């Protein structure tokens, strides 16, 4: 119970509520939730109201929410304000206590297992105090708008107004419809049942009960559609006005009045345009300060803040098959997965890169028996390490040919699978030989692509968990027998004839399917505690081709039904399209065979090298080691960039000529743009003969031309682009931003001389602008997995 007297003890209790609440949620005890809710409600409602507002702000976590539950079990939210004076805090405290009775404490965005709000979504006063060391962007604007919405509007009243407007709208439509029919026709039609006042009131009260605090979605802040409109646009007034009983411009004015003190140091006076759009534009003074801040950190993060919501994220990508060569189909998964891992790590998350290799299944019985005949040394653990299996693809084809024509070999192969799964020593030794030989070949590709930190965790890793998955599915009534096999039938998934589509989890012979392994992987990645060897991930990304979308949809749905996925965890399939030839057909060799990935990459490097030779004084001369490295950077970078610059869900046509072009949004163009800026700085600072550029110290920024201003406006939005890709997982937006940055730099350089600037101060300012432009290109190219070169 709360203390009877106000004083320091009260404040201590308030301070401890968020910390205690987090422990309670981890304990997963509903009875404790209720007890905690009663303490927090009573304490905050009775003790904080009447005390100085500063005490509440300083000692109570402003992101703590009280969630109440009505008789139908609908969880609804009532946000606690930073000020005891706000009527909503008082109203919802007593509404929760008297109307619904049962309350439990929960944190805002608990679905993301976050304690409180991130520093980029915290109060505006906290934001502005940190603005000198890091950049602000669209997330800061959204959080500022959310703060204002929650301050000036009551979510319950807005929900009530929206419900009334919706009900009245239906009523008006019925009346208009009725007027269009004559009396005789209307008599023949069946009359629709009329809603009683009690039913109407019940629906309105249900809407009020379901009201939640305004979130960033309600803020409706987007990048401005045109530069002349500013930097951002807020459309919240358009959606709130009717529910609030205001016209859109009146609603917009209230939002602007609330925003003005929060964003005044950074934004120009907000402009209300048209029916109620709010245009927001960075102040020129802020642009100068922000660019200087980026220049101060040009060798680091460019003042981009790290996330305050640090998550454990698993990225599952590449995933080749043992004893098979990596082909162009693995290229997209490897490149996209690596880029997303780089970006998420840069954001500050704990990223685990997993290579879910295909190292288990029926084909290994065939391969093991073929080794028994052709390479018997591979079946002995002591001698298997010394066996050279040669070309694994040739080995696989030979084993497959025997399997198709030799019935005795086919029978032995099937028995070999059983032996392998049972842990037979010889079968395991042969299997390990195959895996080891495959890893050697994969690593050559990974080295060429500069893929690092990728941890192999193949299908075999999850074998110990497969039976447990089946038992859980059966005990919960999800897995049933179907034609001798075990399957899960999910609502909404059917075959072409309309019959239910089964998701097989166990074959009729007792073997397991891909779905079973993926379910076991989900359990290990998100449900199992780290003390048990699990990952306890908050987010899991699966980077595979779009053809597997239905498979993952079904696996994710089954995992959630089986209780394998906590509510706070996000499972996301990151699909990508096919790589096609220039004719739009399957990308293949002239003979129709699948293109080997190593051959594809080697050819890109060769073409880049030939292009460099053609620019040399003696084209017949061999490339030096330094130029050979440049050719590799350009060739491999071109392949990566061509893939990443496309919307990943689209098919794209593979063309060496297009990807290696110095024109357009390509890697060679971006590498040239970086090298060009290096040359500009060299010339302006007398570093013509130096091997590596020494970047000048940051100086105060002077904006003297519109092209300077437009370049800076683009550069300071770097956090917005990174945040967008972190959320939506489309790397092509990084490439689009890179190309736009290079274009705006060109416009700046055409209009503003660096070396011959009018004053020394202006020259220093423009050199800082060059430094930040180059650093931005370098940072994003590195996130894409492409190193830059200072001379090209």
């Amino acid at each position: 119970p709360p203390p009877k007297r106000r004083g320091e003890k009260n404040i201590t209790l308030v301070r401890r509520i968020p910390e205690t609440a987090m422990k309670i949620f981890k304990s997963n005890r509903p009875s404790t939730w209720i007890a905690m809710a009663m303490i927090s409600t009573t304490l905050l409602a009775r003790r904080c109201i009447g005390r100085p507002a500063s005490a509440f702000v300083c000692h109570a976590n402003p992101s703590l929410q009280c969630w109440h539950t009505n008789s139908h079990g609908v969880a609804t939210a009532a946000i606690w304000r930073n000020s005891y004076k706000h009527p909503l805090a008082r109203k919802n405290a007593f509404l929760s206590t008297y109307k619904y009775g049962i309350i439990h404490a929960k944190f805002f965005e608990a679905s993301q297992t976050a304690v409180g709000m991130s520093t980029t979504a915290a109060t505006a006063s906290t934001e502005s105090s940190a603005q000198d060391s890091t950049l602000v962007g669209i997330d800061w604007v959204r959080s500022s708008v959310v703060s204002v919405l929650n301050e000036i509007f009551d979510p319950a009243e807005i929900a009530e107004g929206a419900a009334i407007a919706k009900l009245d709208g239906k009523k008006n439509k019925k009346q208009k419809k009725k007027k269009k029919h004559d009396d005789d026709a209307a008599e023949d039609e069946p009359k629709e049942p009329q809603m009683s006042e009690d039913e109407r009131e019940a629906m309105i009260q249900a809407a009020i009960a379901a009201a939640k605090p305004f979130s960033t979605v309600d803020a409706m802040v987007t990048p401005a559609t045109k530069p002349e409109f500013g930097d951002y646009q807020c459309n919240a007034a358009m959606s709130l006005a009717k529910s609030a009983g205001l016209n859109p411009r009146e609603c917009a004015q209230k939002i602007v009045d609330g925003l003005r003190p929060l964003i005044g140091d950074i934004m120009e006076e907000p402009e209300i345009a048209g029916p109620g759009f709010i245009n927001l534009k960075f102040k020129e003074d802020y642009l100068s300060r922000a660019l200087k801040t980026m220049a101060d950190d040009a060798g680091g993060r460019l003042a981009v803040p790290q996330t305050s919501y640090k998550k454990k994220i698993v990225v599952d990508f590449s995933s080749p098959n043992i004893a098979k060569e990596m082909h162009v189909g693995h290229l997209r998964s490897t490149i996209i997965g690596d880029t997303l891992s780089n970006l998420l790590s840069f954001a500050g998350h704990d990223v685990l890169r997993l290579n879910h290799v295909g190292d288990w299944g029926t084909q290994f019985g065939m391969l093991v028996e073929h080794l028994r005949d052709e390479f018997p040394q591979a079946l002995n653990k002591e001698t298997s390490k010394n066996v050279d299996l040669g070309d694994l693809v040739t080995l696989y084809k030979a084993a497959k040919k025997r399997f198709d024509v030799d019935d005795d070999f086919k029978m032995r192969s099937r028995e070999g699978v059983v032996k392998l799964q049972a842990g037979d020593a010889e079968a395991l030794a042969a299997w390990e030989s195959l895996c080891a030989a495959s890893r050697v070949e994969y690593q050559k590709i990974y080295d060429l692509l500069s893929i690092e930190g990728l941890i192999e965790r193949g299908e075999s890793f999850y074998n110990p968990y497969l039976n447990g998955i089946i038992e859980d599915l059966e005990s919960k009534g999800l897995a049933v027998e179907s034609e001798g096999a075990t399957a899960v039938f999910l609502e909404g998934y059917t075959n072409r004839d309309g019959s239910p589509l089964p998701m097989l989890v166990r074959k009729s012979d007792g073997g397991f399917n891909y779905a079973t392994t993926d379910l076991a992987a989900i359990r290990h990645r998100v449900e199992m505690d780290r003390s048990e060897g699990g990952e306890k991930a908050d987010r899991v990304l699966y980077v595979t081709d779009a053809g597997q979308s239905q498979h993952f949809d079904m696996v994710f749905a089954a995992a959630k039904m089986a209780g394998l996925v906590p509510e706070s965890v996000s499972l996301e399939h990151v699909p990508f399209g096919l790589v096609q030839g220039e004719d739009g057909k399957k990308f293949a060799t002239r003979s129709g065979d699948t293109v080997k990935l190593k051959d594809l990459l080697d050819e890109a490097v060769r073409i880049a090298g030939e292009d460099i030779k053609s620019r040399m004084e003696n084209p017949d001369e061999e490339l030096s080691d330094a130029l050979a490295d440049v050719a590799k950077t350009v060739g491999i970078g071109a392949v990566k960039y061509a893939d990443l610059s496309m919307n990943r869900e689209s098919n794209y046509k593979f063309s060496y000529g297009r990807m290696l072009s110095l024109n357009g949004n390509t890697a060679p163009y971006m590498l040239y743009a970086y090298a060009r800026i290096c040359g500009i700085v060299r010339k302006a600072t007398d570093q013509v003969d130096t091997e590596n550029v020494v970047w000048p110290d940051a100086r105060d920024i002077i904006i003297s031309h519109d092209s300077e201003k437009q370049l800076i406006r683009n550069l300071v939005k770097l956090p917005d682009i990174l945040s967008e890709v972190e959320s939506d997982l489309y790397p092509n937006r990084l490439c689009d931003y890179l190309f736009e940055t290079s274009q705006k730099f060109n416009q700046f350089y055409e209009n503003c001389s660096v070396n011959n600037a009018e004053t020394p101060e202006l020259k220093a300012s423009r050199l800082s602008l060059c430094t930040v432009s180059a650093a931005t290109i370098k940072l994003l190219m590195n996130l894409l997995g492409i190193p830059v070169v200072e001379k090209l």
Side-chain angles (χ1 to χ4, degrees), residues 128-273:
S128 59
S129 66
Q131 68 189 30
D132 292 334
S133 59
T134 59
L135 302 180
V136 299
I138 196 168
D139 289 339
W140 173 80
V141 176
R142 284 171 178 154
S143 67
S144 298
V145 173
V146 169
S147 178
V148 171
L149 294 181
N150 280 317
E151 189 65 33
I152 64 178
F153 295 113
D154 181 340
E157 290 177 1
I158 295 297
E160 180 181 14
I164 292 173
K166 188 174 183 180
L167 292 171
D168 289 347
K170 288 182 178 179
K171 183 178 180 180
N172 292 335
K173 284 183 181 179
K174 289 179 182 179
Q175 289 175 347
K176 289 180 181 179
K177 185 177 179 181
K178 187 175 182 181
K179 288 180 181 179
K180 291 181 180 180
H181 296 78
D182 56 52
D183 293 339
D184 294 337
E187 288 178 4
D188 295 336
E189 292 179 355
K191 293 184 178 181
E192 294 185 25
Q194 297 296 313
M195 182 182 296
S196 69
E197 283 300 316
D198 287 343
E199 290 173 325
R200 173 187 169 86
E201 182 62 22
M203 293 186 70
I204 294 172
Q205 291 302 317
I208 294 172
K212 296 181 180 180
F214 295 105
S215 68
T216 53
V217 175
D218 303 306
M220 298 185 70
V221 177
T222 63
T225 54
K226 294 181 179 180
E228 55 266 31
F229 293 161
D231 295 290
Y232 305 108
Q233 180 174 300
C234 172
N235 302 328
M238 303 297 291
S239 63
L240 286 173
K242 191 172 183 180
S243 302
L246 303 167
N247 70 50
R249 286 190 70 89
E250 288 176 334
C251 188
Q253 188 61 56
K254 281 183 172 288
I255 295 173
V256 166
D257 291 342
L259 277 175
R260 193 176 290 112
L262 302 183
I263 65 174
D265 290 342
I266 291 176
M267 294 288 184
E268 301 281 1
E269 174 67 19
E271 176 190 86
I272 300 175

Side-chain angles (χ1 to χ4, degrees), residues 13 92 105 113 121 151 303 316 353 393 420 440 487 533 545 559 571 579 585 591 652 674 676 707 735 786:
L13 284 172
N92 278 329
T113 62
E151 189 65 33
D316 179 332
R353 305 162 188 243
V393 175
L420 181 61
V440 172
D545 67 273
L571 302 178
V579 180
K585 297 179 181 179
S591 62
Y652 87 94
Y674 180 82
R676 183 190 183 204
S707 61
C735 299
I786 304 171

Side-chain angles (χ1 to χ4, degrees), residues 311-317 341 344 350-354 457 462 524-526 535-543 570 572:
K311 297 179 181 179
K312 177 65 177 288
I313 303 178
V314 172
V315 185
D316 179 332
F317 68 97
S341 298
L344 293 167
D350 179 10
V351 178
L352 177 63
R353 305 162 188 243
L354 287 185
R457 193 172 291 173
Y462 303 102
H524 186 269
R525 292 170 181 179
V526 304
E535 299 299 340
K536 269 300 184 186
D538 303 300
R539 190 181 187 190
V540 186
L541 309 181
Y542 295 79
V543 187
S570 175
E572 302 169 50

Side-chain angles (χ1 to χ4, degrees), residues 22 151 170 190 216 319 395 432 471 619 646 649 661 665 706:
M22 202 59 196
E151 189 65 33
K170 288 182 178 179
T216 53
S319 308
L395 183 77
E432 288 172 357
E471 291 170 3
M646 299 292 297
E649 294 190 46
S661 172
N665 192 9
D706 184 63

Side-chain angles (χ1 to χ4, degrees), residues 264-300:
D265 290 342
I266 291 176
M267 294 288 184
E268 301 281 1
E269 174 67 19
E271 176 190 86
I272 300 175
F277 304 114
I278 302 172
N279 292 333
L280 302 168
K281 187 175 185 178
F282 284 129
K283 284 184 173 181
E284 193 168 291
D285 177 62
Y286 168 73
L287 293 176
S288 296
R289 285 189 284 113
L291 203 284
K292 171 66 162 53
T293 302
M294 294 179 77
D296 285 331
D297 193 24

Side-chain angles (χ1 to χ4, degrees), residues 748-763:
F748 151 72
Y749 192 64
E750 288 172 5
N751 291 284
C752 303
S753 173
V754 177
N755 202 31
N756 297 315
E758 290 83 350
T759 65
E761 291 79 13
L762 189 56
K763 178 178 179 180

